[in-house]
Amino acid sequence: VCPGLVDLHTHLKPFSSPEYATDAAVCYPFGVTAAVDAGTVAESSFESGLTLRFFPTVGIRDGKACLEKAEKLLAFYGDRAIGVKVYAPALAGGGAPLLREICAFAHEKGKKVMVHCTDTAMPMEELLGCLSEGDIATHVFHGSAHSAEEDGFASLLDARRRGVVLDAGIAGHVHLDYEVAAKAA
């Protein structure tokens, strides 16, 4: 017997993008009673019975952070908003300076940053170097360009020492390369 489980990285309807979101009801058969929507794009007062927390997405357009919508979602969800989510592929036009700007935005509000690391345009070392204690790097064992394997996992070890949370973010085997994960282990 254990307390209800927590899913720290999910995409739920109606909060996340419909193409990736799933129904909250899928949580219960697995014993999950609390979930974090890690890619919130919509305001909703939908109640599922789950204890919910949120990571509003920071949109990026033409190499610039669109912070207004994230600001609005942070205000809407209040204390239930843990931080903001950034998709590393979208950082291509602005790189590390853009990620540092987004981190500063979140940290000034007392929030964390979650970075989706798959298909990033910058080396993992550079990406992780922008994150601070308590920030989250998700999908860290991906096998696409700029995986953590390219520096022998030194960037992951350094990030862990600095208090960055490393999330495997398995996502139905989409963002996890088992060979990379095995080498890291």
Side-chain angles (χ1 to χ4, degrees):
V1 175
C2 74
L5 302 175
V6 178
D7 187 335
L8 289 173
H9 184 161
T10 190
H11 299 280
L12 298 171
K13 294 176 185 174
F15 312 107
S16 279
S17 173
E19 68 182 289
Y20 302 113
T22 187
D23 290 316
V26 302
C27 294
Y28 294 113
F30 298 99
V32 172
T33 60
V36 179
D37 184 80
T40 310
V41 295
E43 293 180 16
S44 178
S45 57
F46 170 80
E47 291 297 328
S48 64
L50 291 171
T51 298
L52 295 170
R53 298 293 180 264
F54 302 91
F55 272 94
T57 299
V58 174
I60 298 173
R61 187 173 298 124
D62 300 323
K64 296 183 179 161
C66 304
L67 300 173
E68 299 80 21
K69 185 170 183 182
E71 179 94 53
K72 188 176 174 186
L73 288 167
L74 286 171
F76 181 83
Y77 288 110
D79 289 342
R80 296 191 312 160
I82 297 170
V84 298
K85 173 89 174 267
V86 181
Y87 291 88
L91 295 167
L98 179 56
L99 181 53
R100 283 193 286 276
E101 174 191 349
I102 294 166
C103 289
F105 164 80
H107 297 157
E108 285 171 8
K109 298 179 175 322
K111 304 296 182 185
K112 302 299 179 188
V113 176
M114 176 186 274
V115 180
H116 172 108
C117 298
T118 306
D119 298 322
T120 180
M122 70 179 91
M124 186 70 81
E125 178 181 21
E126 190 176 348
L127 184 148
L128 293 173
C130 296
L131 302 181
S132 300
E133 183 176 356
D135 289 337
I136 302 164
T138 189
H139 310 306
V140 295
F141 300 121
H142 68 83
S144 61
H146 298 300
S147 80
E149 185 177 13
E150 74 183 3
D151 69 359
F153 305 101
S155 59
L156 289 183
L157 289 170
D158 177 63
R160 189 178 72 188
R161 278 188 219 104
R162 292 184 296 106
V164 174
V165 178
L166 304 176
D167 172 24
I170 296 170
H173 315 295
V174 175
H175 299 293
L176 175 77
D177 183 308
Y178 285 105
E179 290 181 28
V180 173
K183 289 176 186 173

